Amino acid sequence: MPSPYILDRTSVTVVMAWVLAALLPGIGVYVWLFGPGILLTLSIATVTAVAAEAGMLKARGYPIKPFLGDLSAVVTAWLLALSLPSLAPWWLIVTGTLFAIVVAKHLYGGLGQNVFNPAMVGYAVLIVSFPVQMTQWAGPLELTATPLGIGQSAAIIFGADVPKSLLDAVTMATPLDTLRTGLLQQHTVDEVVRQPIFGYLGGTGFEWLAAAFLLGGLLLWALRIISWQVPLAFLVGVWLTAGFLHFFDAGRFGAPWFHVFAPSVMLGAFFIATDPVSGATTPRGKVVFGLGAGFLTIVIRTWGGFPDGVAFAILLMNLCVPLIDQYTQPRVYGEVRKEPRA
């Protein structure tokens, strides 16, 4: 702890601004490999989040300008938007963002009071309520016959009269969807991953997106905005659980590097599970939180109802935070532990 005459220049606004900056490499790679649709998704989510934040602050009697300027609503909007299909209909983006800001954030007391990560609550509501719309992911441009421009992306997002053939030509199942479907059809992993959607470590294009999120996450770690415990433990949890299953039956369970190099895992490890409000606070607790989230991610991906499990894994671990913090408190200097009675 610094001496009281040493001022800490860090503020919520500065931290949130660095988080947004760290997401820019991932957004740039997203546009490069999957088209500009994600820019529209980010814009819709941002406008909705800012409007909802202002409305709730006014309704609760708080001053709007200082709270709105802390950028926390924009961070929530970006994290949710990057978890959604880039060609998702506008009403889906608005619904998820409103639920994240109004219900998951402000009805729990606002910034610093939320029990669950707001962005992941919004995502969970959407995947449970609208599973069909949540599966229309834009395919990598190198695999799609008709790369979309910004106008065509806007037409799809805002529900214009778009030929179904065009939509079918630019959307496809994600690598996780493809692997899950193939395994359910009794194919082996080796047979499934021969399809063009799979790249060297993860999915075609998706693995580069994961690398970009990793780069942004390392920037946050270098700036000490996040600690190393949660992201490292999260990745180790995913790797060990997936590796254990793959070791015993490589034909039924995907390789650990395939799961680690999914963009959702990198985004979750460095930007979502590291939420200082809804995550564990003690150093050992952060390790437990990360390992648990990684373990649950693979369990849900393997036996759950959805192909990806990052959001639900983090929300389940949010539930465990009070218990984790209680049993991982560091020993106070000079404390003498009581010996159990014989």
Side-chain angles (χ1 to χ4, degrees):
M1 179 180 293
S3 299
Y5 53 84
I6 299 177
L7 299 180
D8 186 358
R9 302 290 184 187
T10 303
S11 66
V12 174
T13 303
V14 171
V15 170
M16 296 298 170
W18 274 115
V19 172
L20 294 174
L23 287 170
L24 291 178
I27 295 172
V29 170
Y30 205 130
V31 174
W32 174 43
L33 293 173
F34 295 89
I38 188 61
L39 298 178
L40 298 172
T41 304
L42 286 165
S43 300
I44 295 170
T46 302
V47 171
T48 305
V50 171
E53 180 89 348
M56 289 304 297
L57 288 170
K58 184 176 179 58
R60 297 176 60 209
Y62 285 89
I64 295 177
K65 187 175 180 181
F67 286 97
L68 204 59
D70 65 18
L71 300 177
S72 61
V74 180
V75 169
T76 298
W78 283 27
L79 293 178
L80 176 61
L82 289 170
S83 303
L84 301 179
S86 60
L87 297 177
W90 67 270
W91 57 265
L92 191 77
I93 305 166
V94 170
T95 301
T97 308
L98 285 176
F99 203 92
I101 297 294
V102 175
V103 178
K105 182 178 180 181
H106 278 282
L107 293 192
Y108 279 89
L111 182 65
Q113 305 296 321
N114 49 287
V115 178
F116 301 99
N117 186 288
M120 292 301 94
V121 172
Y123 175 87
V125 169
L126 294 181
I127 191 70
V128 171
S129 305
F130 309 102
V132 175
Q133 289 81 2
M134 290 287 283
T135 59
Q136 292 183 337
W137 287 84
L141 293 181
E142 66 177 283
L143 299 182
T144 54
T146 311
L148 292 182
I150 191 72
Q152 292 170 309
S153 299
I156 293 175
I157 291 173
F158 287 102
D161 188 15
V162 178
K164 187 176 184 304
S165 58
L166 174 61
L167 194 61
D168 292 340
V170 298
T171 60
M172 61 180 59
T174 65
L176 286 173
D177 282 322
T178 305
L179 178 62
R180 183 184 181 85
T181 303
L183 294 176
L184 289 175
Q185 294 173 347
Q186 307 303 316
H187 296 293
T188 66
V189 172
D190 285 341
E191 293 171 343
V192 176
V193 298
R194 291 171 189 163
Q195 300 180 41
I197 192 65
F198 293 93
Y200 299 101
L201 296 175
T204 299
F206 293 90
E207 55 195 357
W208 290 108
L209 184 57
F213 287 138
L214 172 61
L215 179 65
L218 292 177
L219 172 64
L220 294 181
W221 173 72
L223 294 171
R224 297 187 177 182
I225 290 176
I226 63 173
S227 60
W228 59 269
Q229 288 96 340
V230 173
L232 182 61
F234 192 112
L235 297 179
V236 169
V238 170
W239 180 278
L240 289 180
T241 309
F244 177 81
L245 296 174
H246 185 72
F247 175 79
F248 284 100
D249 194 344
R252 289 186 54 210
F253 303 105
W257 51 83
F258 168 76
H259 288 286
V260 168
F261 275 86
S264 58
V265 166
M266 289 296 179
L267 188 67
F270 288 96
F271 293 93
I272 300 173
T274 51
D275 180 3
V277 178
S278 58
T281 57
T282 65
R284 285 190 298 157
K286 291 177 181 179
V287 174
V288 173
F289 184 93
L291 287 173
F295 169 76
L296 288 174
T297 295
I298 297 302
V299 169
I300 295 171
R301 281 183 177 182
T302 305
W303 293 287
F306 302 103
D308 196 6
V310 172
F312 290 104
I314 292 176
L315 292 175
L316 288 172
M317 290 309 296
N318 288 156
L319 277 173
C320 303
V321 164
L323 192 65
I324 294 173
D325 280 348
Q326 180 180 349
Y327 285 99
T328 57
Q329 289 292 328
R331 186 176 179 181
V332 178
Y333 180 74
E335 178 189 14
V336 178
R337 294 188 185 278
K338 294 181 180 179
E339 295 295 334
R341 293 182 178 179

